[in-house]
């Protein structure tokens, strides 16, 4: 079977979108052409073509800056739109598309690749490890009884025009401290974040934006929808669907959660994507009233181990010589020496000494953002190291802020 993998051209855009939508079993929605053309870019929309010029597989790769532990950005490819035509499955097309993605991303200088998986079991074999988790929370605000902040910030509902000027800067100030959050470019905000299409509402209201300020300066915001409902007794039973809650500090976040949990007529609060170390359960007088569901978040693959491990910061100084086993990328496989200084900065270089730890690309991906302890990787056989080395790795790699990605892509 002869397959050509290349970027799509403008006349192939409809076919590319159609292939993706057929694989996911839905239809193109309003704004999708713009999202591919303007946010992803046609050059980064890749497709596998058969000999008749038909698309039989697709990928897309965003150009991200990703927050890594310690408030630093790392160049990262965001893999998306991974599909193979049902008529052509299990003939190795995905394997070829993944190899193409790694070559392209590494060639463009990305040290990492991340993805959200529809089917997680596919990606370990390509060197991706589970790098973050997320938590869905839902509760009745009357039962949970969120305590009022000692000193609440001021709150106001703002219109879309004000949101456009205020939100990007606020999110950027909060983003860098949370490993796993990627920078949103102006075009990302314009085409992906701000539009509020009917199909996104699923029966709820348009987006509302509440802004928190302190001494006249914005310190946080929340975006939410409302879905009105009355119960059998005709009592208000509406829902607040929380999209984003962003605050530059805990006081701002507390103020916003307190607001969201006390909207008259809307006692039911649901927030689908929150970090696992969210403060919400700790604000409630009755934390058991808060239902929590934790799931895997982004999966991460290291494409340039020396650059990626030099860029991030570490919690504890130390030195580690380790070997990465990688059957997909010769430019990743090999032995490295990581030296972490007292201030948490590091240098990672290729090394010809004897390693004290050997790990798979998948294990390296799981460790990178600091949310995974090395211990379970040992029992799975993805990391081989003695107890002392595992202790040292735990202290070096784990990070106090839970990694989290706040947006599917
Ligand atoms: C998932 C999908 C992309 C696989 O494509 P494919 O061309 O059949 O995959 P390949 O033949 O290249 O298989 C590559 C490897 O992945 C494995 N694999 C493929 N699909 C798998 C699945 N759904 N679950 C687990 N493993 C899978 C294959 O067994 C093969 O393993 P091996 O090489 O170690 O033997 C395709 O079935 C599809 O488009 N599905 C619908 C959309 C989707 O789920 N996309 C993923 C989005 S995150």
């Amino acid at each position: 079977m002869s397959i050509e993998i290349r970027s799509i051209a403008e006349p192939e855009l409809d076919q590319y979108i159609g292939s993706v939508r057929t694989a996911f079993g839905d239809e193109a929605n309003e704004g999708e052409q713009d999202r591919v053309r303007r946010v992803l870019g046609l050059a980064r929309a890749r497709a596998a073509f058969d000999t008749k010029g038909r698309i039989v597989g697709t990928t897309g790769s965003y150009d991200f800056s990703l927050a890594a532990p310690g408030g630093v950005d790392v160049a990262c490819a965001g893999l998306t739109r991974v599909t193979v035509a049902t008529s052509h499955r299990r003939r190795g097309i995905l394997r070829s598309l993944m190899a193409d993605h790694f070559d392209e991303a590494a060639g463009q200088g990305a040290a990492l690749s991340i993805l959200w998986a529809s089917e997680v079991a596919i990606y370990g074999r390509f060197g991706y490890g589970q790098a973050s988790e997320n938590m869905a929370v839902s509760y009745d605000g009357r039962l949970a009884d969120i305590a009022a902040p000692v000193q609440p910030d001021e709150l106001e509902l703002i219109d879309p025009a004000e949101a456009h000027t205020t939100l990007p800067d606020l999110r950027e100030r909060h983003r860098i401290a949370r490993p796993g959050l990627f920078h949103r470019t102006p075009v990302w905000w314009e085409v992906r974040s701000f539009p509020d299409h009917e199909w996104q509402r699923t029966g709820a209201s348009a987006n509302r934006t509440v802004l928190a300020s302190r001494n006249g300066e914005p310190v946080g915001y929340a975006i939410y929808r409302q879905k009105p409902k009355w119960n059998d007794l005709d009592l208000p039973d509406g829902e607040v669907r929380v999209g984003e809650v962003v605050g530059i500090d805990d006081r701002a976040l507390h103020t916003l959660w307190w607001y969201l949990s006390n909207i008259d007529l809307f006692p039911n609060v649901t927030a689908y994507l929150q970090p696992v170390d969210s403060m919400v359960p700790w604000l409630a007088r009755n934390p058991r009233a808060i239902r929590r569901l934790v799931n895997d978040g982004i999966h991460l693959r290291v494409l340039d181990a020396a650059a990626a491990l030099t860029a991030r910061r570490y919690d504890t100084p130390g030195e580690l010589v380790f070997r990465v086993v990688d059957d997909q990328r010769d430019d990743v496989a090999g032995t490295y020496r990581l030296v972490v200084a007292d201030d948490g900065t590091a240098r990672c270089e290729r090394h010809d000494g004897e390693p004290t730890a050997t790990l798979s690309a998948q294990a390296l991906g799981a460790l990178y953002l600091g949310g995974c302890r090395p211990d379970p990787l040992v029992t799975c056989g993805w990391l081989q190291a003695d107890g002392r080395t595992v202790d040292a790795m735990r202290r070096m790699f784990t990070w106090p802020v839970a990694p989290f990605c706040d947006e599917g892509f």
Side-chain angles (χ1 to χ4, degrees):
M1 183 183 46
S2 174
I3 293 290
E4 181 197 12
I5 297 178
R6 60 169 170 80
S7 303
I8 62 162
E10 175 69 34
E12 292 156 346
L13 179 58
D14 281 343
Q15 200 198 154
Y16 173 84
I17 291 173
S19 300
V20 173
R21 301 285 45 122
T22 302
F24 286 105
D26 54 16
E27 304 300 327
N29 47 44
E30 196 188 343
E32 183 150 13
Q33 283 218 348
D34 245 13
R35 286 194 297 280
V36 176
R37 194 186 283 122
R38 296 188 55 207
V39 189
L40 182 63
L42 297 185
R44 300 181 73 104
R46 308 279 290 176
F49 293 85
D50 71 5
T51 48
K52 293 183 179 158
R54 285 178 307 208
I55 292 181
V56 294
T58 60
T59 60
S61 169
Y62 291 109
D63 181 11
F64 284 153
S65 292
L66 188 78
V72 292
D73 269 327
V74 179
C76 174
L79 180 63
T80 184
R81 295 176 177 267
V82 178
T83 72
V84 171
T86 318
S87 54
H88 286 64
R89 65 198 281 277
R90 306 300 183 268
R91 298 187 210 171
I93 295 179
L94 172 64
R95 214 161 244 292
S96 307
L97 284 165
M98 295 302 293
D100 172 76
H101 168 67
F102 295 150
D103 287 345
E104 288 285 305
Q108 285 150 2
L112 308 170
S113 170
I114 56 169
L115 58 83
W116 286 91
S118 309
E119 282 198 80
V120 179
I122 302 173
Y123 293 102
R125 62 168 59 69
F126 297 114
Y128 286 85
Q130 180 189 317
S132 78
E133 293 180 311
N134 36 259
M135 183 167 74
V137 292
S138 55
Y139 56 93
D140 182 324
R142 295 164 301 195
L143 292 178
D145 192 8
I146 302 289
V150 177
Q151 244 191 315
D153 289 314
E154 292 136 39
L155 293 164
E156 61 184 316
L157 283 166
I158 59 171
D159 61 26
E162 196 174 348
H164 277 59
T165 54
T166 315
L167 269 47
D169 180 52
L170 269 176
R171 181 176 183 276
E172 196 53 22
R173 284 166 68 193
H174 136 101
R175 177 186 74 85
I176 200 70
R178 171 74 73 180
L181 293 180
F182 58 84
H183 170 72
R184 288 184 193 158
T185 59
V187 73
W188 187 285
W189 279 100
E190 183 197 330
V191 179
R192 283 192 57 127
S193 308
F194 285 131
D196 189 5
H197 299 293
E198 189 64 42
W199 63 267
Q200 295 170 302
R201 298 183 185 168
T202 55
S205 71
N207 272 329
R208 323 285 190 212
T209 305
V210 61
L211 185 72
S213 303
R214 198 176 303 155
N215 307 322
E217 288 299 316
V219 289
Y221 69 86
I223 301 175
Y224 63 96
R225 300 182 191 280
Q226 291 162 284
K227 185 159 168 108
K229 192 181 156 200
W230 273 262
N231 70 12
D232 296 345
L233 298 173
D234 222 12
L235 295 170
D237 197 24
E239 180 190 348
V240 180
R241 286 189 193 162
V242 179
E244 262 174 44
V245 186
V246 163
I248 61 160
D249 56 20
D250 286 345
R251 182 174 152 195
L253 286 168
H254 186 170
T255 301
L256 290 163
W257 280 110
W258 175 61
Y259 168 89
L260 294 165
S261 306
N262 289 284
I263 298 179
D264 291 339
L265 310 181
F266 297 86
N268 302 300
V269 181
T270 53
Y272 174 59
L273 265 186
Q274 291 300 313
V276 288
D277 59 359
S278 162
M279 67 178 356
V280 176
W282 306 97
L283 304 174
R285 290 196 177 86
N286 184 5
R288 203 178 297 166
I290 297 180
R291 277 191 301 274
R292 294 168 244 184
L293 177 68
V294 174
N295 240 321
D296 61 296
I298 50 172
H299 297 255
L300 183 148
R301 202 233 195 269
V302 172
L303 294 172
D304 183 336
L309 291 165
T310 298
R312 66 155 281 187
R313 303 289 192 261
Y314 300 80
D315 217 21
T316 313
E319 184 178 332
L320 179 72
V321 177
F322 62 97
R323 185 165 74 93
V324 182
V325 178
D326 190 339
D327 60 3
Q328 324 257 316
R329 301 290 304 173
D330 290 343
D331 51 355
V332 176
T335 301
Y336 299 83
R337 179 165 167 256
L338 172 69
V339 181
V340 178
D342 287 346
D343 64 359
T345 59
R347 179 123 209 105
C348 181
E349 289 169 325
R350 291 225 175 238
H351 191 65
D352 51 16
E354 211 32 53
T356 56
T358 298
L359 74 173
S360 64
Q362 183 179 5
L364 184 61
L367 288 173
Y368 184 74
L369 291 180
C372 170
R373 292 181 314 123
D375 309 64
L377 304 176
V378 174
T379 56
C380 289
W382 299 334
L383 166 64
Q384 284 100 44
D386 63 23
R388 252 183 75 200
T389 308
V390 172
D391 284 346
M393 288 178 76
R394 188 186 314 110
R395 285 194 298 272
M396 283 166 85
F397 278 89
T398 49
W399 191 252
V401 183
F404 168 61
C405 186
D406 61 352
E407 183 172 0
F409 54 82

